[in-house]
Amino acid sequence: MKLHPALWFEARENQKVLCLLCPHKCMLNEGQIGICRVRQNYEGKLNTLIYGQLSSLHLDPIEKKPLYHFFPGKSVLSIGSVGCNLRCTFCQNCEISQVEVQDSTFLKEYSPVAIASISGLSVNNIGVAFTYNEPAIWYEFIQDVSLILKSRGMKTIMVTNGFINPEPLIGFTGFIDAFSVDLKGFTEQFYKKILKGSLAPVLQSLEIIRKAGRHLEVVNLVIPGLNDDPVHFESMTHWMADHLGKETILHLSAYYPKYLSEEPPTPSSTLMKFKDIALKYLDFVYVGNLPNELNNTYCPDCGQLLISRLGYKVLKHGINEFGSCLNCKKLAFQNF
């Protein structure tokens, strides 16, 4: 394993270090690795074990992130590594997020310049999305890649669980253009028991991203018996409208059994019910894993069909080149 100097830590007595990247705030003895499995104390300094180490590299439709209101119809180079700072029992990417670095023989090394160069090979590509595993724990590499991309006029995207401390997140907002944040539930009990984390820091992260003026879309994976209480869900969407704005985009996703979770798949009726609840508070609500018309975009003011989606094929209808409705002139897309 290669070591690379890490940011966001404090040196303590007796060669200990306190990691300040996420709310776990791991206090690490010499040689010890944090909960994320990728940040290690070496000789009294914090190091990352995954700088430039990629588990995945694909050119994807941007809608796959999912981002529906950030340059729709474009592509993005998606990259990921290994590790995560949460322990979701239902993890959908457990093969890379819930593994040790030393056991990940499939990792390939890339430099920031190489990633930036690859991202420029496709004409339709807008930049790079940091995704697949939790990108927050990849801070140093993301920063170096992003600064090169920004100098070339390209975009950066972060698909994250939002379990990040405020100071590093503010750092991210300096070089990340768009965030897709998993708001996995709306009770502290769920976050503590099922994810081994906490809800409050995630809500704070959402507010920081919104205040920073970065593009934000929220994803909620609905899991039967774990986070599908309609009362809690309505409280969540009400909170989103009050704290993030009713224009905030929400994606509802169906769960399928994976990793340590054996709950049955999400019924389509639950997703439809939750969509109706969310639309009482939010302008844009989408449902994944169900018929495609549920992923179309309509003008929240006049109901005009703006964009239809067939799988990942995007067709633009009643919308102009600036992202506004042709019928009533309502601005529906800030990044078009």
Side-chain angles (χ1 to χ4, degrees), residues 143-160:
Q143 176 178 258
D144 290 350
V145 173
S146 296
L147 292 178
I148 297 173
L149 291 170
K150 302 303 291 179
S151 71
R152 299 181 182 184
M154 303 190 80
K155 304 298 181 182
T156 54
I157 296 166
M158 186 168 165
V159 182
T160 175

Side-chain angles (χ1 to χ4, degrees), residues 258-270:
K258 192 76 180 285
Y259 194 36
L260 304 177
S261 186
E262 297 180 351
E263 280 74 20
T266 314
S268 59
S269 58
T270 300

